[in-house]
Amino acid sequence: IPQATFANLASGDLVVVMEEAVFPVSPSQILKVDPTTGQQTTIASLDGYDGEPGGLTIDNSGMIYVTIDPLSSEDDPRGKILKVDPVTGEVTLFSAGGLLTDPNDIALDPDGNLVIAQPGTILRVNITTGEQYFISSYNNLVEPEGLSVTKEGVIYVADNPTERVLRVTADGMQEVFFNRTIPVGGPYDTVVAADNSIAILQYGNVVSVDQTSKTQTIIAGDQYIGDNILRTVGFRSRLDVEADGNFVIAFDNFTDSGIARVDNANGNVSIVTISPEDSRGFTGIAVVKQISPPGTGNGTTLEPPVVSTSTDGLDITIDWTSVSGATGYTLYYAPVTDTGYGTIASIDMKVST
């Protein structure tokens, strides 16, 4: 029986990329962080994948997607997107090479496809087939770091070298949306805030910009000085928003690293957790939005697929309908010699139907 794949994450959990440790050497990891206690739990190791992990995003079922910049890797010079199952910790290569060169960040568009920021280009990767497409390239884009996508499909890209945030429409048209408001540092990342404005992470502060009027409001940090925590953000820092409208920042400037929370109401900044001393710190961060595991009442339960079979001699063909919101299917079957429940086997069918 084909069964839709679900993730074992709770709404509100924080998921971060922890870069490899140097002394002693250990691979990069994906961690789950409790948003209240800051407790860190390892989801998966990225051992075997050379390069520098960057941004991450989580689909509606809880599957995690991580970008890998190959840097100067001679073993595998391709840019990559890894898919991580938070239940099993299995890491698979979702997409590599082709248009992917040096990906920095990743987000979901309204259709559930992946949007990638990398030097000079914005890409879309089909979440089902892995096919890659150009959305926009060069012109104002130099070194896009972080990005976010609105429910209308508009992309906001933080382009650090040009000191700007660009607005990119679904058809690739570019427009300057925001110019850096501090002497140095950023912008590093963007996120769609609870009030539908665009929150922008710079060195020393978080700024909210209205999508229509472009009116700017400082949420936290002084415009020129910044408080101590926000002055630790750097080009590897990332931003996301929680369900209550507060912001979380994975900050890392090679010296200090952790997760900070910014209170959207009063601008107060607090520490959620600190990265282990032997790691190179946190890079990507994502807040787990509402997910829909079956039978829990948390969100909408996915409909079961409709299965059909046909035979041709000894050959059996099995088909099933696709399930909206599912990220994969597992086929369970009993071998010809059935000796009980323990003989039930399974095949990961990926996205096949």
Side-chain angles (χ1 to χ4, degrees):
I1 300 173
Q3 187 177 46
T5 303
F6 295 86
N8 188 26
L9 290 171
S11 299
D13 283 344
L14 309 178
V15 179
V16 296
V17 180
M18 184 178 74
E19 283 206 86
E20 62 185 352
V22 179
F23 301 108
V25 176
S26 62
S28 299
Q29 298 179 39
I30 305 299
L31 304 181
K32 178 173 72 172
V33 178
D34 185 290
T36 302
T37 66
Q39 180 179 353
Q40 303 171 18
T41 305
T42 299
I43 294 175
S45 168
L46 303 185
D47 190 21
Y49 293 98
D50 290 338
E52 184 175 81
L56 62 80
T57 192
I58 306 171
D59 70 16
N60 292 333
S61 71
M63 289 295 173
I64 303 164
Y65 296 85
V66 186
T67 61
I68 300 289
D69 183 339
L71 298 178
S72 58
S73 171
E74 296 179 359
D75 295 331
D76 189 350
R78 301 175 299 170
K80 307 174 193 68
I81 301 172
L82 305 182
K83 181 178 180 180
V84 181
D85 185 326
V87 177
T88 65
E90 180 184 14
V91 180
T92 55
L93 184 61
F94 178 74
S95 186
L99 302 178
L100 279 170
T101 56
D102 310 276
N104 289 326
D105 201 12
I106 187 169
L108 290 176
D109 70 11
D111 296 323
N113 295 314
L114 303 172
V115 179
I116 313 296
Q118 63 180 19
T121 57
I122 304 296
L123 306 178
R124 178 174 286 111
V125 179
N126 188 288
I127 197 73
T128 303
T129 65
E131 292 181 89
Q132 306 168 0
Y133 309 91
F134 275 120
I135 296 176
S136 191
S137 61
Y138 294 98
N139 194 8
N140 293 303
L141 285 168
V142 177
E143 183 74 34
E145 290 288 342
L147 83 167
S148 58
V149 186
T150 70
K151 61 183 179 181
E152 294 81 19
V154 179
I155 304 163
Y156 288 88
V157 187
D159 197 62
N160 183 24
T162 64
E163 306 177 2
R164 298 183 293 198
V165 170
L166 301 179
R167 177 159 50 196
V168 182
T169 60
D171 58 3
M173 298 298 293
Q174 300 177 17
E175 160 191 12
V176 176
F177 175 72
F178 170 85
N179 289 287
R180 190 169 74 190
T181 59
I182 56 175
V184 62
Y188 302 119
D189 200 8
T190 71
V191 71
V192 182
D195 62 1
N196 208 37
S197 65
I198 303 302
I200 299 169
L201 178 64
Q202 303 182 105
Y203 177 81
N205 67 16
V206 178
V207 181
S208 171
V209 183
D210 185 275
Q211 289 195 60
T212 303
S213 67
K214 299 184 181 179
T215 300
Q216 301 178 13
T217 304
I218 296 177
I219 297 173
D222 184 86
Q223 186 170 5
Y224 295 105
I225 302 174
D227 61 47
N228 291 334
I229 296 174
L230 291 182
R231 290 196 329 191
T232 65
V233 302
F235 71 93
R236 292 140 48 91
S237 301
R238 293 292 179 265
L239 176 72
D240 205 357
V241 63
E242 298 181 294
D244 59 5
N246 293 331
F247 300 95
V248 284
I249 301 168
F251 62 90
D252 181 17
N253 66 356
F254 297 101
T255 302
D256 302 295
S257 179
I259 298 175
R261 175 175 286 115
V262 176
D263 190 306
N264 186 49
N266 56 31
N268 289 341
V269 183
S270 58
I271 295 293
V272 177
T273 194
I274 296 296
S275 65
E277 291 184 2
D278 60 353
S279 77
R280 289 180 57 200
F282 296 149
T283 54
I285 187 170
V287 178
V288 179
K289 305 305 190 281
Q290 189 176 49
I291 55 177
S292 306
T296 65
N298 180 17
T300 304
T301 301
L302 299 190
E303 294 295 326
V306 177
V307 181
S308 60
T309 62
S310 61
T311 59
D312 181 10
L314 296 177
D315 295 329
I316 301 175
T317 300
I318 304 175
D319 299 288
W320 54 88
T321 56
S322 61
V323 177
S324 177
T327 59
Y329 303 90
T330 302
L331 179 65
Y332 294 91
Y333 67 96
V336 174
T337 304
D338 184 5
T339 59
Y341 177 79
T343 64
I344 298 296
S346 65
I347 302 174
D348 182 359
M349 303 303 295
K350 307 298 183 184
V351 296
S352 301
T353 57

